[in-house]
Amino acid sequence: MITMQVVIFDNKSNSENNSSYYTNPDNSDENESGADFLIRILKYLETPQYLRKALFPMHSSLRFVGLLPPLDAPHHLRKHEWGPFREGVTLKERAPNSSGTLVDVGLNKNFVIDQVLNPGTRVTVAMGTDRNLDADSVRQIVSSSKPREEANTYWGYRVRYASNISSVFRECPYKGGYDHLIGTSEHGSVTKSSDLVIPTFRHLLIAFGGLAGLEECIEEDMNLKVKDASEIFHSYLNTCPHQGSRTIRTEEAIFISLQYFQEPISRALEKI
């Protein structure tokens, strides 16, 4: 199962982190940038519904978020659903007769974990094999990658901010960086999805530009000495040929392109 990270990058010539989402401690909406807005919305949608009130203070950017379609991902469990793992948030209340921490995992009762953590921390909890949710046994905190590794279950995505496109590559959290880079643009080459060959990879990056495309992002980034997009990416593709309209919104291009890449990526993963 693929792990997924969404990187939101600005068109800036420097490499400083200018996103107020990370530098504004009171979480106010004053001078919130477009990148801040996207990051907040993406993080909110990825979070299970029962955790949102605890993890997201009221904010004007979230005023109409209820109109967006829900992800309904596997980790967005309902109260009546059992799962070997659940996302939870640590509480201020102390566990009775225990030195551990109480965690709200979206059920009718809270559970104890054997670690002491600050309140308001999001955690992934292993619920054990006993489907009796009334059992008082202590639950264990595990890595958020555990559901994917043990149960081959998609467990959401992470969001990262980059001040420019060069920071997307330079600040890659994976050891060795991205081993295959794909750029998308109306100026890219046209290849049928069935004919596209993606080599085996560990960390694949698919990049989308804004209204002016990746070309402008590359041109304005002073950290990039190479200005030809085809020299930066291993593949530079037009995933939306014959579009008809003058432009396609980035959010539209993403949905179209993810469907386009589904088969080639599946073929590449079969070779691993």
Side-chain angles (χ1 to χ4, degrees):
M1 181 63 67
I2 298 175
T3 58
M4 183 175 177
Q5 183 184 75
V6 180
V7 186
I8 304 298
F9 66 92
D10 273 323
N11 285 15
K12 297 183 183 296
S13 60
N14 59 67
S15 59
E16 296 177 1
N17 188 331
N18 292 305
S19 175
S20 64
Y21 188 91
Y22 296 95
T23 60
N24 194 353
D26 61 0
N27 207 36
S28 69
D29 57 353
E30 183 179 359
N31 299 322
E32 183 173 60
S33 70
D36 297 325
F37 174 79
L38 282 175
I39 291 170
R40 195 181 308 277
I41 295 296
L42 287 169
K43 284 178 173 285
Y44 183 90
L45 291 175
E46 188 277 334
T47 302
Q49 293 88 332
Y50 57 86
L51 297 181
R52 291 173 179 172
K53 186 176 180 179
L55 296 176
F56 290 87
M58 293 184 63
H59 195 280
S60 62
S61 293
L62 302 175
R63 183 171 30 174
F64 301 111
V65 75
L67 299 176
L68 294 173
L71 295 184
D72 204 19
H75 62 302
H76 290 198
L77 294 165
R78 279 70 166 177
K79 280 190 175 183
H80 66 277
E81 292 180 302
W82 180 89
F85 303 95
R86 291 186 77 100
E87 290 295 283
V89 60
T90 55
L91 304 175
K92 291 181 179 179
E93 296 82 3
R94 307 309 302 172
N97 305 319
S98 173
S99 59
T101 304
L102 277 175
V103 177
D104 177 7
V105 293
L107 297 172
N108 291 325
K109 62 174 290 186
N110 300 322
F111 292 89
V112 180
I113 59 171
D114 58 359
Q115 295 173 250
V116 178
L117 298 176
N118 293 328
T121 302
R122 179 173 167 176
V123 294
T124 302
V125 180
M127 301 300 293
T129 56
D130 188 356
R131 291 178 179 245
N132 180 14
L133 297 177
D134 293 325
D136 292 326
S137 59
V138 176
R139 265 59 178 187
Q140 303 292 324
I141 287 183
V142 297
S143 167
S144 60
S145 63
K146 204 74 170 178
R148 173 183 58 84
E149 296 168 351
E150 288 195 356
N152 199 30
T153 300
Y154 172 68
W155 210 249
Y157 54 81
R158 299 295 176 262
V159 185
R160 175 166 71 90
Y161 172 78
S163 59
N164 46 39
I165 192 168
S166 62
S167 296
V168 174
F169 312 132
R170 185 174 58 254
E171 298 169 3
C172 174
Y174 307 116
K175 186 176 180 180
Y178 301 106
D179 47 8
H180 193 70
L181 307 174
I182 298 178
T184 62
S185 169
E186 62 178 328
H187 303 295
S189 61
V190 177
T191 303
K192 290 183 179 179
S193 176
S194 57
D195 295 334
L196 179 63
V197 177
I198 297 178
T200 56
F201 62 87
R202 295 188 61 193
H203 305 294
L204 168 69
L205 174 73
I206 302 175
F208 300 86
L211 184 62
L214 285 173
E215 292 84 6
E216 182 184 69
C217 303
I218 294 170
E219 184 65 31
E220 293 186 355
D221 192 332
M222 304 306 296
N223 297 311
L224 290 175
K225 296 181 179 179
V226 177
K227 297 301 180 181
D228 187 345
S230 61
E231 295 184 29
I232 294 176
F233 298 95
H234 297 104
S235 301
Y236 202 56
L237 304 170
N238 181 354
T239 58
C240 309
H242 317 299
Q243 62 190 45
S245 60
R246 186 176 301 169
T247 59
I248 293 182
R249 294 176 182 269
T250 301
E251 60 269 29
E252 295 171 337
I254 289 174
F255 284 129
I256 296 171
S257 300
L258 290 180
Q259 177 62 41
Y260 169 89
F261 285 117
Q262 184 177 28
E263 184 182 339
I265 289 176
S266 296
R267 290 197 300 266
L269 293 176
E270 290 174 358
K271 301 175 184 177
I272 298 178

